[in-house]
Amino acid sequence: MLERIWRGWSMMEAGGSVLRRHPKLIVLPTMSFLVFLIVTVAVIIPAAAPYGGVEAFLDSVEAKTPQTWVVLFAIYFPSMLVIILCNAALVLCALDVFSGRRPSVLGGLVAALGRWPQILMWTF
């Protein structure tokens, strides 16, 4: 167990060093965060209108109505798709760095899109 924690910590340090040496790659996690915020706001505000506002909609989340599940999936799926795509792109950029190649945000995204079926299935 301790070995797994140590390995995870080492990988996190290696990833941090990649971001320090190539700060332009911070665009990928930033992009995934912004997309999450945009999707959440774009889905929750219209979904909350029939309930009389966001607070009433959140009360319906506790009631777990079918409409609530649809709204939550409409937030979850596109957000997670972009988050996983950006994370995959960041990992592929880190692999480029570890292989001695110069990473690029566009190159990472293109490489991640080349794994589209796997990313789609991982999102589900």
Side-chain angles (χ1 to χ4, degrees), residues 88-110:
L90 186 58
V91 166
L92 291 164
C93 286
L95 290 174
D96 280 347
V97 170
F98 297 144
S99 298
R101 295 185 297 270
R102 188 160 179 79
S104 75
V105 172
L106 183 60
L109 286 171
V110 168

Side-chain angles (χ1 to χ4, degrees), residues 24-82:
K24 65 183 177 188
L25 296 180
I26 200 73
V27 166
L28 293 166
T30 303
M31 185 169 60
S32 66
F33 177 71
L34 291 175
V35 167
F36 169 74
L37 287 179
I38 291 167
V39 168
T40 301
V41 169
V43 173
I44 283 196
I45 289 176
Y51 292 92
V54 173
E55 189 173 325
F57 172 73
L58 293 175
D59 289 340
S60 80
V61 171
E62 292 176 13
K64 295 177 180 68
T65 64
Q67 296 88 348
T68 304
W69 288 110
V70 170
V71 170
L72 292 176
F73 185 77
I75 294 168
Y76 163 80
F77 190 78
S79 298
M80 286 309 294
L81 184 64
V82 171

